[in-house]
Structures are given as structure tokens and as C-alpha cells.
């Protein structure tokens, strides 16, 4: 995500230039005390007007800051762009220390086209009609890939889909009943504010269980499920049909599960693999690079053997098993990481399960189920020399980093499109003005007279409109998966905790040599002064965060 420091720095310099005060500091201190200088520069406006015309005084400062931001930003926009193919670090990690690389399959090694979500939605919708006796009229609803985003919460009892931030606050304007937004006043009345208590939040794995009323959708496969829930809710509401939200949630959940468990999805993909799997050459290039450098590799997936085999044959070739030291299918993550009771079972040709006791995990063989504790015993692959990649923050990564000390990498396909939006001049200018307007509000709130308060209320309204504008740049209904108005989302909070590094796809590894160390940006705490960001020097030192950095061969 783009660093706020360059934008703040530019806004501060613009403000200082506009007032012709602290010019020398503004020119020489673009890298230190940025936020302090912003405060100082806005403080230059705070002495009040000599004539007593508060409205004129506030408006002149407003216009001056806006003009200065526009003038200062235009020449510098292109120098602060991020590389969408970069790898971003939450925790310092060196690839030189990694001896063993592990992978999930779906949305990690195999990337799917938009047709897969349409297939899941249509199949689950028809299951509701044919097996759960839902009205045939819901068949007219089609899958909308632009409706939901990953990481949303669903209130099972109230049938509401919403975005929640890292402090458990609902982002107003993102609460949907069916396909329509719920008015803020109604949300505040239902929840007695906008905060969701801990006991109502989803459990550790994002599920609604043991009294938790919220379910968090963290899986990329869950996008069709959220959309289907909202479509059926919409039908019932439009037709004034009385229904139990809990039953609807459970029925949709079961229908989505059946698409996977009954093999409907797997058979469809296997029958038309070129339609559903994409970017195979990128995965092949990453695996070849790691193999050529003598790295151990393993695969742990919940998908069945025949499905994985067909996909990997398409992506890598029929000799794909030669790249992996261990292959485990139908692992049942996250139970795989916690349940010590389930033994491994060897899978023979055509999926036949053998009854032999497993004493070694052999290269070229495929194993089913098992558990991580037995895996560690048989391989000896422990601790921070192992790096495991997956797309599901809970099922793939959480237990590994918390309980076993493995390093973890999150695959976030949405990252690329969000960075591309943040690299646009429209987004950068909008965010710079939002920061500038917020700074004005913070300093000018000391004026409590009626005339000043009217102006400030106009600014507050414009600030909210600007926030809403930035939200719709990413997704019209819910905005970015990483931010609410200003706080990180609950999704990002969990990503930051459970993933050492994160990236758009495995192909990002091709931009780095295997001795590279990833350093997280030092994010200033609220009581700390920002120092200069490495992003300001990305182009100078060819840091792979910069957009123009060429891949390292």
C-alpha cells in the first residue's frame, strides 16, 4: 500500500510555501519530522484574523492549502508509485535462511479465471432450488463479480453483510441487507452504535460458532457465497416473505459446501481446464527457480488427488511430482495443523488408498490426510527455515506462525489491482487533499463561534464525501479490502499478524534473488515523528518496491 509519508511531506511543503513561512525547514526536512512540520505549518494559520472575519479567514486558508497541494503534487506524482509485483513485509525475513518451501494449491499454485466463481454461484443457487426447495424465481439472479470483497463479516442473525475495521467498528455505508445498503441511523440503532463486541465477533478461524453471531469470509472461494446470500435475502425482502436468517445462512453454506464436497467443481474444472486455470507459466517459472537452487519443496492442499494432478499436469507438466519432496492432498486444513490423531495414507494410481503404515514420506508419492506433528517428525522440517505460502490467512497461515514458528507468505490476488488504483493521479490527489482537509479541521476546531462552526461543518461534510469517493475507487459497495475510512480493516489486521510477507502471486518471487532480505517499513506510532521512507529512494537504489524495477534474473 502507498506510504502516507510522501503525501504528507508534499502537503506540508505546499502549505509552508503557500504561507511563505518556515520555508527553509520545508526545503531541507522532507525526510524528518514530517507530521510535526504539518502541524507547525497549519499552526501558522491559527492566530486568527485581524479583522474578525472568521468565514473569510477560514476560507482563505482552505483555498491556499488546496492550491498549494495541487501545485506541489503534480510534478512529484510519478516518483512515488509502487510496484504491484513487489513483495511486502510485515516481519523481517531473509530468503537466505529458507531451506524448505511449502505451498497450498488453490489460488497459490493454481490461479482460476472469473468463470469459476460464476460456476460456484450458479451450482449452489440450483442446489438451493432443487434440494432445499427455495423458490425457482431466485434463478434469475446472476453472479456479480464486482459486488463483494474478501474479508467481510456477515451477521448470521440479522442477515447483514458488512466491513469491520481492526478495532471492531463497522464502517458505516458498507452494511448491506440483500443488495441494498442499510441507512447509517438504522445500523447505529441495531448495534447501539457501530462497535461489535468481542463475544459477537467470529471465532479464531472466522467462523460463527459457540455463540458468535458474525462469520468472516476470508477465502477467495467465499465471494460467490456472499453474493448468493445477499441475492436470496434480496428476493425474500422484495417479496415480503417471512424467513429465518439463520436457516438461510446454513442452507447457503451447505449448498456451497456441496459444490466442493460432491465433486461438482472438481469435475467441471477437470473437464475444461483451459477455461478455468490461468497463469500456469508463472507458477512453473517459480518452481523451476527454487528447484534449480536446490530448495526442498512440498505441497499441502485440501483438494483431492485427481484434481491436483490434472491441474499440475496443465501448469507444470506430467513430471511435476519430481519438483516436490512431499505431496499431501485432502489434508483438511486447519485440522491438519492441530489434530495429532490422523495418520497419513498413501494414494496409489486412480486414487486407490493403501493400508500400509507410513514410516517415510517418499518423493514422487502422494499422501492423504495425516497431521503436521507426524509431518514434522518424518521430515525434520521445523522452525524458521520453512516458508509456507497460502491464500487463506486462517486455514493456511495462522497456526503455522503461532504454534510452529514457520515463516509464512500470503497470496493476495487483490493486491495488484488495488496498488494500480493507488498509483493513479486521481487517487493520489484525492488522498493528499483528504490529508490536507483533515489537518485543517484538526487545527481550526479551536474556533467555537457560530460562524466558524458553520464553515467547519461544511469541511466535515466534504471530508466524508472525499472518503466515500476513495471507497468507490476500489469497490462501489465496500471499498478496499485493506482499509476502512482511515483504520486498517479486520482482514488487514489478521494479515499483518499471520503473514511475514504478502504478495499478489508467487510470480513476485521472480523479482528477487534467493539471498534477498525483506525489511518491513517502520510505520511511525502516533506519538512518534515520521522519518524518511525508503519509498522516497526506491528509484535511486533500485529497491523492488518501485514501479519501474526490472525483474532480477
Amino acid at each position: 500500500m502507498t506510504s502516507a509519508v510522501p503525501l504528507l511531506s508534499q502537503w506540508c511543503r505546499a502549505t509552508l510555501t503557500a504561507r511563505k513561512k518556515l520555508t527553509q525547514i520545508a526545503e531541507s526536512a522532507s525526510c524528518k519530522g514530517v507530521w510535526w512540520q504539518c502541524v507547525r505549518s497549519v499552526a501558522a494559520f491559527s492566530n486568527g484574523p485581524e479583522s474578525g472575519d472568521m468565514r473569510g479567514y477560514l476560507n482563505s486558508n482552505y483555498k491556499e492549502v488546496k492550491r498549494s497541494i495541487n501545485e506541489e503534487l503534480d510534478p512529484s506524482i510519478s516518483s512515488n508509485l509502487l510496484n504491484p509485483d513487489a513483495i511486502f513485509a510485515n516481519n523481517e525475513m531473509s530468503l537466505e535462511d529458507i531451506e524448505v518451501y511449502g505451498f497450498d494449491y488453490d489460488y497459490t499454485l493454481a490461479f482460476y479465471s472469473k468463470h469459476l466463481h460464476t460456476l460456484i454461484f450458479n451450482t449452489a443457487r440450483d442446489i438451493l432450488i432443487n434440494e432445499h426447495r427455495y423458490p425457482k424465481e431466485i434463478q434469475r439472479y446472476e453472479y456479480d463479480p464486482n459486488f463483494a470483497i474478501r474479508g467481510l463479516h456477515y451477521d448470521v442473525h440479522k442477515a447483514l453483510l458488512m466491513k469491520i475495521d481492526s478495532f471492531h467498528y463497522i464502517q458505516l455505508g458498507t452494511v448491506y441487507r440483500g443488495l441494498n445498503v442499510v441507512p447509517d441511523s438504522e445500523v447505529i440503532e441495531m448495534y447501539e452504535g457501530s462497535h461489535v463486541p468481542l463475544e459477537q465477533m467470529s471465532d479464531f478461524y472466522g467462523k460463527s460458532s459457540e455463540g458468535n453471531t458474525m462469520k468472516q469470509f476470508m477465502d477467495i472461494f467465499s465471494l460467490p457465497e456472499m453474493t448468493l446470500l445477499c441475492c436470496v435475502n434480496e428476493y425474500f425482502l422484495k417479496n415480503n416473505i417471512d424467513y429465518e436468517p439463520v436457516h438461510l445462512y446454513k442452507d447457503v453454506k451447505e449448498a456451497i459446501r456441496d459444490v466442493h464436497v460432491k465433486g461438482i467443481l472438481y469435475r467441471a474444472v477437470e473437464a475444461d481446464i483451459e477455461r478455468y486455470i490461468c497463469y500456469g507459466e508463472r507458477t512453473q517459472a517459480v518452481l523451476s527457480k527454487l528447484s534449480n537452487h536446490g530448495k526442498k519443496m512440498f505441497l499441502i492442499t485440501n483438494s483431492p488427488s485427481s484434481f491436483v494432478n490434472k491441474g499440475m499436469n496443465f501448469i507444470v507438466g506430467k513430471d511435476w511430482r519430481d519438483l516436490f519432496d512431499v505431496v499431501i492432498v485432502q489434508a483438511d486444513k486447519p485440522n491438519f495443523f492441530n489434530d495429532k490423531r490422523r495418520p497419513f495414507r498413501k494414494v496409489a494410481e486412480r486414487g486407490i488408498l493403501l493400508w500400509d503404515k507410513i514410516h517415510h514420506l517418499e518423493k514422487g508419492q502422494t499422501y492423504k490426510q495425516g497431521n503436521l506433528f507426524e509431518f514434522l517428525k518424518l521430515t525434520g522440517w521445523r522452525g524458521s527455515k520453512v516458508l509456507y505460502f497460502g491464500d487463506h490467512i486462517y486455514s493456511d497461515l495462522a497456526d503455522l506462525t503461532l504454534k510452529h514458528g514457520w515463516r509464512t507468505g500470503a497470496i493476495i490476488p487483490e493486491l495488484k489491482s488495488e496498488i494500480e488504483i493507488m498509483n493513479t493521479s486521481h487517487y493520489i490527489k484525492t488522498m493528499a487533499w483528504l490529508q490536507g482537509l483533515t489537518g485543517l479541521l484538526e487545527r481550526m476546531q479551536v474556533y467555537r463561534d457560530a460562524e466558524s462552526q458553520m464553515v467547519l461543518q461544511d469541511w466535515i461534510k466534504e471530508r466524508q464525501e472525499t472518503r466515500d469517493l476513495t471507497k468507490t475507487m476500489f469497490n462501489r459497495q465496500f471499498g478496499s479490502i485493506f482499509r476502512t475510512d482511515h483504520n486498517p480493516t479486520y482482514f488487514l489486521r489478521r494479515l499483518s499478524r499471520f503473514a511475514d510477507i504478502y504478495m499478489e502471486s508467487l510470480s513476485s518471487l521472480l523479482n528477487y534473488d534467493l539471498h534477498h532480505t525483506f525489511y518491513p517499513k517502520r510505520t511511525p506510532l502516533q506519538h512518534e515523528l515520521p522519518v524518511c521512507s525508503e519509498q522516497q529512494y526506491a528509484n535511486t537504489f533500485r529497491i523492488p518496491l518501485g514501479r519501474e524495477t526490472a525483474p532480477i534474473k
Side-chain angles (χ1 to χ4, degrees), residues 11 14-15 18-19 41-42 45-46 54-70 432-441 444 452 454-466:
W11 176 75
T15 305
R19 299 301 299 171
S41 61
V42 179
F45 302 140
S46 301
M54 288 305 304
R55 181 179 292 274
Y57 169 72
L58 293 173
N59 285 338
S60 67
N61 288 324
Y62 172 96
K63 293 176 182 177
E64 195 65 43
V65 170
K66 194 163 194 175
R67 181 191 64 78
S68 299
I69 287 174
N70 289 334
W433 172 235
L434 181 59
Q435 295 282 59
L437 187 57
T438 301
L440 279 171
L441 278 166
M444 299 304 184
S452 297
M454 288 179 64
V455 175
L456 293 176
Q457 285 303 314
D458 288 340
W459 291 0
I460 291 171
K461 181 181 178 182
E462 182 181 355
R463 180 173 180 256
Q464 185 56 52
E465 290 171 349
T466 307

Side-chain angles (χ1 to χ4, degrees), residues 382-437:
R382 298 177 181 274
S384 57
K385 69 179 182 181
V386 184
L387 171 58
Y388 185 79
F389 291 96
D391 67 286
H392 198 301
I393 296 170
Y394 296 146
S395 295
D396 288 327
L397 308 180
D399 289 307
L400 291 177
T401 189
L402 291 178
K403 300 177 182 179
H404 302 285
W406 284 10
R407 309 312 293 264
T408 52
I411 304 300
I412 312 293
E414 302 94 335
L415 185 64
K416 185 169 187 175
S417 61
E418 292 222 2
I419 289 178
E420 287 173 346
I421 291 169
M422 291 189 292
N423 279 341
T424 63
S425 60
H426 180 43
Y427 176 85
I428 294 171
K429 288 180 178 179
T430 302
M431 283 304 302
W433 172 235
L434 181 59
Q435 295 282 59
L437 187 57

Side-chain angles (χ1 to χ4, degrees), residues 174-449:
T174 69
V175 181
Y176 275 74
R177 181 187 289 117
L179 300 175
N180 294 286
V181 67
V182 180
D184 295 348
S185 58
E186 189 176 341
V187 174
I188 292 170
E189 183 179 353
M190 281 190 291
Y191 290 95
E192 299 180 347
S194 59
H195 183 262
V196 180
L198 179 62
E199 61 270 15
Q200 294 180 23
M201 289 292 289
S202 51
D203 68 10
F204 180 78
Y205 294 108
K207 299 177 180 178
S208 59
S209 59
E210 299 180 4
N212 304 95
T213 61
M214 291 285 185
K215 153 74 177 178
Q216 188 180 20
F217 291 100
M218 297 293 275
D219 193 352
I220 301 175
F221 281 126
S222 66
L223 293 171
E225 183 176 355
M226 286 185 273
T227 307
L228 183 57
L229 272 169
C230 289
C231 287
V232 180
N233 272 314
E234 180 73 8
Y235 174 80
F236 286 152
L237 292 168
K238 271 192 169 183
N239 292 276
N240 297 314
I241 298 174
D242 191 23
Y243 70 103
E244 173 53 59
V246 174
H247 297 333
L248 171 60
Y249 167 74
K250 290 182 177 179
D251 289 344
V252 171
K253 178 182 177 181
E254 184 176 326
I256 292 289
R257 185 196 64 195
D258 285 349
V259 176
H260 295 266
V261 173
K262 292 183 177 180
I264 301 170
L265 179 148
Y266 304 130
R267 289 192 295 272
V269 172
E270 288 179 39
D272 195 357
I273 205 159
E274 292 186 5
R275 174 179 173 84
Y276 292 108
I277 292 184
C278 44
Y279 311 131
E281 69 282 356
R282 300 183 189 177
T283 298
Q284 184 180 28
V286 172
L287 296 177
S288 297
K289 176 179 179 177
L290 296 176
S291 177
N292 292 338
H293 283 80
K295 302 299 181 180
K296 300 285 187 181
M297 289 186 284
F298 65 90
L299 170 63
I300 302 178
T301 176
N302 288 348
S303 293
S305 177
S306 62
F307 179 71
V308 173
N309 185 47
K310 276 258 181 117
M312 291 301 289
N313 283 344
F314 176 76
I315 294 169
V316 178
K318 292 185 178 181
D319 58 349
W320 67 270
R321 284 188 183 84
D322 294 342
L323 295 171
F324 292 90
D325 295 88
V326 179
V327 175
I328 300 168
V329 299
Q330 291 179 279
D332 191 27
K333 296 176 293 183
N335 292 330
F336 179 87
F337 301 128
N338 297 288
D339 190 346
K340 299 181 180 180
R341 298 168 296 178
R342 301 179 313 158
F344 286 108
R345 196 164 188 180
K346 187 180 290 187
V347 182
E349 292 183 8
R350 299 182 181 180
I352 297 173
L353 298 175
L354 305 182
W355 45 262
D356 310 54
K357 184 175 179 61
I358 305 300
H359 297 283
H360 305 281
L361 295 175
E362 301 173 12
K363 188 169 185 175
Q365 300 297 323
T366 300
Y367 301 89
K368 178 183 177 181
Q369 292 186 347
N371 65 82
L372 183 65
F373 302 92
E374 190 70 12
F375 178 88
L376 297 176
K377 178 182 176 182
L378 295 174
T379 63
W381 296 339
R382 298 177 181 274
S384 57
K385 69 179 182 181
V386 184
L387 171 58
Y388 185 79
F389 291 96
D391 67 286
H392 198 301
I393 296 170
Y394 296 146
S395 295
D396 288 327
L397 308 180
D399 289 307
L400 291 177
T401 189
L402 291 178
K403 300 177 182 179
H404 302 285
W406 284 10
R407 309 312 293 264
T408 52
I411 304 300
I412 312 293
E414 302 94 335
L415 185 64
K416 185 169 187 175
S417 61
E418 292 222 2
I419 289 178
E420 287 173 346
I421 291 169
M422 291 189 292
N423 279 341
T424 63
S425 60
H426 180 43
Y427 176 85
I428 294 171
K429 288 180 178 179
T430 302
M431 283 304 302
W433 172 235
L434 181 59
Q435 295 282 59
L437 187 57
T438 301
L440 279 171
L441 278 166
E442 184 177 10
R443 297 301 301 177
M444 299 304 184
Q445 63 182 316
V446 296
Y447 299 112
R448 302 294 181 181
D449 59 281

Side-chain angles (χ1 to χ4, degrees), residues 481-516:
I481 72 170
F482 301 108
R483 276 201 183 276
T484 57
D485 286 327
H486 52 278
N487 288 333
T489 58
Y490 195 85
F491 174 88
L492 181 61
R493 173 185 174 182
R494 310 307 270 177
L495 172 66
S496 301
R497 179 64 186 89
F498 300 139
D500 291 293
I501 56 175
Y502 63 99
M503 65 213 74
E504 179 258 342
S505 74
L506 281 177
S507 62
S508 297
L509 281 171
L510 299 174
N511 296 326
Y512 303 83
D513 65 42
L514 297 184
H515 301 281
H516 187 88

